Amino acid sequence: MKVAQQSLDEDRPSSLKFLAASVAFQNSTVPACTRLPYTPDPDYILNEEEDSCDVIKESKDNVAPLVKQRTRMKPRGLLERRGSNVALTISLRSGTNIIHLRNSPTNTNPRHRKPLTYLRQASCELTPAALHTKSCDTLQLQQEFWEIPMNHPFEKNFNVAGHGTKNRYRSILPNEHSRVKLPVVNDNDPLSSYINANYIRNVTRSNAAYIATQGPMGNTLDDFWRMAWHEAAASVVMITKLKERKEKCSQYLPMAVGESSTYDDITITVESIQPFEHFTVRKLTLTHVNGESRELNHYWYTSWMDHETPEKTRGLLELVQEVTGWDRTQHGPIIVHCSAGIGRTGCYIAVTTGCQQLLQFGKVDVLKIVSRMRLDRGGMIQTWEQYQFVHQALGRYARILAGENVT
């Protein structure tokens, strides 16, 4: 098949382009972000071992002081180590893990505030000009990124017996309040309702626009497709290869046109395959054992390696456009996954949401987008490099909307 060489400004039925001509932009400097007062609060602190939000009794000793030392760059890949049982556990105990800008007038530490309140209220609206300026300010992006509470849940608070067997990484768990719960297969198997996935709400509305989940494992293939069917999903976005030095995701769908595979009560059949430069689209038919059939688009983006960010933003923006252009008015949330379901998954959802904000309002609030995502699933967007990449991708999209010839 011919590889598509289409650019974002070509004629395509995409809702991201529909109102592009009516968007007007004004130049401005980077505005001050909304931050909470810098006052210690005893009610909420970040867990020292898992960087989680929890209500505990007052304990001044739990607030770790800043380490007096030179500013250091955090080792690349620290947040994505996945070779042990504590693979993705993120600890902020060491001063070397955070960029502390002591001379900055906005230097505040999330340990001294209510993390959940921070995630609900943090905001920093950016015009296209301010977005471009901020995307080039590495120190500001690092400081802002590390101020956002991770909001990882405590494993001790999970009451689903045996759930650990269904988690790809022990330290990456779904937050309870937004966790996707599958129908119990039978009364004797409550574990059948568990899947490591969370609903991600739209920033401007309360509805669940996405489901962020881990890459399916050998023993969760049936669960994944039961979720897709139960949630009436019309699109699945996969942002990982099956193996990157080690397994990142089990193969959970047939590959060739005409092939079929059955998972639990659902048969998946590949109807067509359309390759693009950075991703491949498979049109699937899902047939339930009761005879009902549905269509689903599977988007497999392979140009983003784990532990890294893409060199260019064009490929991800083309994927966003392709997925957004699919008419899913009568369908459920878009399922997005990488390996752990927080890093690359978070970037995709943030870029998609940011593009919609730029299109509708002419400005974007990346800080608010990421904070709200972390309310629903802890740790969304794992590194400040990914945080910067989101700003760069949205900056490119803003230039496209403004009519610039972006190469």
Side-chain angles (χ1 to χ4, degrees):
M1 296 183 182
K2 183 178 180 180
V3 177
Q5 299 293 335
Q6 299 166 324
S7 63
L8 284 177
D9 54 355
E10 291 178 336
D11 187 20
R12 192 183 290 187
S14 169
S15 62
L16 287 181
K17 294 175 54 187
F18 182 71
L19 299 177
S22 64
V23 178
F25 300 103
Q26 297 179 353
N27 294 333
S28 69
T29 58
V30 178
C33 301
T34 301
R35 292 187 168 91
L36 302 183
Y38 180 53
T39 56
D41 189 284
D43 296 329
Y44 289 83
I45 70 166
L46 293 180
N47 176 266
E48 292 288 336
E49 298 300 329
E50 299 183 59
D51 192 26
S52 302
C53 298
D54 197 26
V55 180
I56 65 172
K57 62 182 180 180
E58 181 174 358
S59 176
K60 295 181 180 179
D61 294 336
N62 284 325
V63 179
L66 296 178
V67 178
K68 294 183 178 181
Q69 59 182 22
R70 294 183 303 170
T71 298
R72 297 184 181 180
M73 297 294 290
K74 183 183 66 63
R76 190 174 193 136
L78 177 64
L79 302 185
E80 300 101 333
R81 289 199 310 267
R82 300 176 182 180
S84 67
N85 289 334
V86 292
L88 284 177
T89 300
I90 301 172
S91 174
L92 302 184
R93 179 185 296 273
S94 171
T96 60
N97 289 351
I98 308 178
I99 304 296
H100 291 301
L101 304 182
R102 289 185 166 278
N103 296 325
S104 171
T106 59
N107 177 29
T108 55
N109 190 322
R111 292 180 183 278
H112 299 290
R113 353 176 163 151
K114 293 181 179 181
L116 297 181
T117 302
Y118 180 105
L119 294 176
R120 293 188 185 104
Q121 298 183 358
S123 178
C124 185
E125 289 188 345
L126 301 170
T127 63
L131 177 62
H132 173 72
T133 301
K134 188 174 181 179
S135 66
C136 300
D137 191 339
T138 300
L139 291 181
Q140 182 185 3
L141 288 171
Q142 289 179 30
Q143 181 190 22
E144 184 172 279
F145 174 80
W146 287 111
E147 284 181 349
I148 308 173
M150 287 291 179
N151 194 30
H152 287 300
F154 285 113
E155 184 174 5
K156 65 182 180 182
N157 292 338
F158 269 77
N159 57 5
V160 182
H163 71 87
T165 61
K166 292 189 174 184
N167 298 323
R168 179 169 290 275
Y169 305 105
R170 192 182 73 176
S171 57
I172 302 301
L173 301 172
N175 297 64
E176 182 61 29
H177 76 278
S178 58
R179 180 167 64 89
V180 177
K181 298 179 181 180
L182 304 176
V184 178
V185 174
N186 58 67
D187 295 338
N188 297 323
D189 186 17
L191 184 60
S192 63
S193 68
Y194 179 84
I195 186 169
N196 193 317
N198 288 99
Y199 297 107
I200 306 297
R201 294 165 292 178
N202 190 298
V203 173
T204 58
R205 298 187 299 274
S206 60
N207 65 307
Y210 303 93
I211 289 177
T213 185
Q214 66 181 16
M217 304 162 58
N219 63 327
T220 66
L221 303 181
D222 291 351
D223 297 333
F224 181 87
W225 287 113
R226 285 202 301 125
M227 176 177 69
W229 183 268
H230 182 257
E231 298 295 333
S235 299
V236 172
V237 179
M238 177 180 180
I239 315 178
T240 181
K241 294 182 178 180
L242 297 178
K243 186 174 182 179
E244 299 170 8
R245 292 185 292 274
K246 60 178 64 176
E247 181 185 287
K248 297 297 180 179
C249 179
S250 296
Q251 182 174 325
Y252 61 91
L253 74 161
M255 294 288 104
V257 175
E259 287 188 354
S260 298
S261 298
T262 300
Y263 303 94
D264 196 52
D265 292 334
I266 305 165
T267 298
I268 314 299
T269 303
V270 180
E271 302 295 344
S272 66
I273 300 176
Q274 184 178 9
F276 290 80
E277 182 178 355
H278 299 282
F279 58 92
T280 301
V281 182
R282 284 176 171 80
K283 292 188 178 296
L284 309 177
T285 296
L286 279 58
T287 305
H288 196 272
V289 68
N290 63 13
E292 182 182 354
S293 294
R294 299 175 186 170
E295 293 182 351
L296 182 145
N297 280 1
H298 183 274
Y299 303 86
W300 192 351
Y301 186 90
T302 56
S303 295
W304 191 338
M305 294 296 292
D306 202 7
H307 299 203
E308 301 175 4
T309 54
E311 293 183 2
K312 297 182 179 180
T313 59
R314 181 173 63 88
L316 184 63
L317 286 174
E318 289 179 349
L319 174 65
V320 168
Q321 182 188 24
E322 194 68 27
V323 177
T324 307
W326 171 250
D327 182 11
R328 59 183 192 90
T329 305
Q330 304 299 321
H331 303 290
I334 295 175
I335 298 174
V336 186
H337 78 85
C338 46
S339 185
I342 58 176
R344 290 171 283 185
T345 295
C347 289
Y348 173 83
I349 296 176
V351 170
T352 302
T353 305
C355 286
Q356 293 169 345
Q357 288 185 359
L358 285 168
L359 181 62
Q360 295 177 26
F361 310 114
K363 55 188 177 180
V364 64
D365 195 334
V366 182
L367 176 60
K368 184 175 183 179
I369 292 172
V370 176
S371 296
R372 293 297 179 87
M373 284 197 304
R374 287 188 178 179
L375 276 174
D376 291 333
R377 185 169 174 86
M380 292 288 276
I381 299 189
Q382 290 178 271
T383 69
W384 74 262
E385 290 95 341
Q386 291 178 346
Y387 193 61
Q388 183 178 43
F389 177 78
V390 170
H391 284 78
Q392 293 171 342
L394 293 174
R396 177 189 176 93
Y397 183 70
R399 295 195 301 273
I400 293 172
L401 287 179
E404 294 185 25
N405 185 17
V406 182
T407 58

